[in-house]
Amino acid sequence: MRAVLSLVLLLLLALPAAAQVPRGLGDSDPVDFKGKPPSRYPVHGIDVARFQPQVDWTQARKAGIDFAFIKATEGGDFLDPMFKSHWRGAGRARILRGAYHFFYFCRPAADQARWFIRNVPKTRGMLPPVLDMEWNPFSPTCTKRPHGSVVRREAQIFLDMIERHYGQRPILYTTPEFYRQTDIGKLKNTEFWVRSTAKTPDRAYPKQSWHFWQYSSTGIVPGIEGDVDLNAFGGSKRQWKRWVAARQNQ
């Protein structure tokens, strides 16, 4: 019996820390973030698109989801087919929601901003819009990787147009490779949402301030079938309330 208990203890110690994600949520492929788990942050959310066709938003909120970023548009002519349903569902469940745009490097930024504005309603209480900028090597129509100066100029055009329309400065989402290759962190007056599913943001984005951390693409959330992206707000609950009060659409 003692030998069996010892073996069980060794197996438990070999597992990634159980507190990598908050209680109520899970991860099908957890990562050990070396003593700095996402669970140390009290505010968590998800981002969704057409790949999550069925979401029980009320159940997700009860499990601990505080916010959701919902894919709205891509390029200058694609509207995510689940956007309207997700937008309504999150709103009915009283989950704070924002919409994001996936940037397409073969279309002028101004065209893309106008497309986003055409499809995303200016809604009281909405979180700031998000510009998702990352390389897309799997695109069937555009795998261009413009120089960083071009990327930053296009981003500025999009951010400025969206801010004028919604009265909120958009958040910018990015990935480690894109961040390094384009110097997108040089943009002024911009809040960042960073993806880092293998390292903590301080290691993946040295010296870069951030507001949101996408820490898993294999999250398990009650009310959602299959894996979903998990995110944390980089502050306390009090800081979250202050940020929301300052950044919500009035």
Side-chain angles (χ1 to χ4, degrees):
M1 177 65 73
R2 185 176 297 174
V4 172
L5 290 174
S6 297
L7 178 60
V8 170
L9 179 60
L10 287 172
L11 289 172
L12 288 173
L13 290 173
L15 292 172
Q20 292 296 299
V21 297
R23 183 178 298 176
L25 307 179
D27 199 319
S28 64
D29 188 17
V31 170
D32 185 352
F33 286 100
K34 307 298 182 184
K36 296 181 179 179
S39 58
R40 68 178 179 158
Y41 297 104
V43 178
H44 291 257
I46 54 175
D47 58 276
V48 296
R50 65 188 184 279
F51 308 110
Q52 291 79 34
Q54 299 294 327
V55 177
D56 184 328
W57 290 97
T58 299
Q59 193 174 354
R61 179 175 59 81
K62 290 178 179 178
I65 294 303
D66 299 297
F67 64 87
F69 288 115
I70 300 167
K71 183 173 182 179
T73 53
E74 181 173 337
D77 55 11
F78 179 80
L79 173 65
D80 190 286
M82 290 303 301
F83 172 66
K84 293 180 181 179
S85 176
H86 285 332
W87 190 254
R88 289 193 298 265
R92 284 195 296 264
R94 302 190 307 279
I95 292 177
L96 294 174
R97 59 194 171 156
Y100 76 88
H101 173 82
F102 190 91
F103 199 84
Y104 183 74
F105 292 99
C106 294
R107 192 83 178 245
D111 289 354
Q112 299 188 54
R114 284 189 285 267
W115 179 246
F116 183 88
I117 290 168
R118 177 178 169 182
N119 287 284
V120 177
K122 189 175 180 179
T123 307
R124 183 178 177 85
M126 70 188 294
L127 297 180
V130 175
L131 172 59
D132 178 345
M133 295 196 100
E134 56 185 295
W135 300 132
N136 186 9
F138 306 109
S139 172
T141 56
C142 181
T143 57
K144 288 176 63 176
R145 295 193 174 202
H147 188 272
S149 60
V150 175
V151 168
R152 296 192 301 274
R153 183 171 66 246
E154 289 291 281
Q156 195 70 56
I157 292 170
F158 186 95
L159 296 173
D160 289 347
M161 289 181 65
I162 297 300
E163 182 178 16
R164 284 195 295 271
H165 180 78
Y166 294 94
Q168 303 162 288
R169 187 68 175 171
I171 299 164
L172 194 142
Y173 169 96
T174 194
T175 64
E177 180 188 29
F178 189 89
Y179 179 86
R180 289 193 303 270
Q181 293 180 0
T182 65
D183 283 331
I184 197 71
K186 289 183 177 179
L187 290 177
K188 303 297 183 183
N189 304 317
T190 301
E191 295 176 343
F192 282 84
W193 170 15
V194 296
R195 174 179 173 84
S196 185
T197 58
K199 301 177 181 178
T200 53
D202 62 313
R203 295 175 60 207
Y205 303 85
K207 300 181 180 179
Q208 176 62 54
S209 63
W210 56 272
H211 280 71
F212 294 90
W213 170 22
Q214 186 185 78
Y215 59 84
S216 176
S217 58
T218 53
I220 300 172
V221 176
I224 301 178
E225 185 176 349
D227 292 342
V228 66
D229 294 336
L230 296 177
N231 303 272
F233 171 75
S236 66
K237 286 189 176 181
R238 180 176 296 180
Q239 289 170 321
W240 169 247
K241 290 179 180 179
R242 286 204 301 263
W243 184 86
V244 168
R247 298 288 273 127
Q248 264 186 317
N249 185 284
Q250 303 301 320

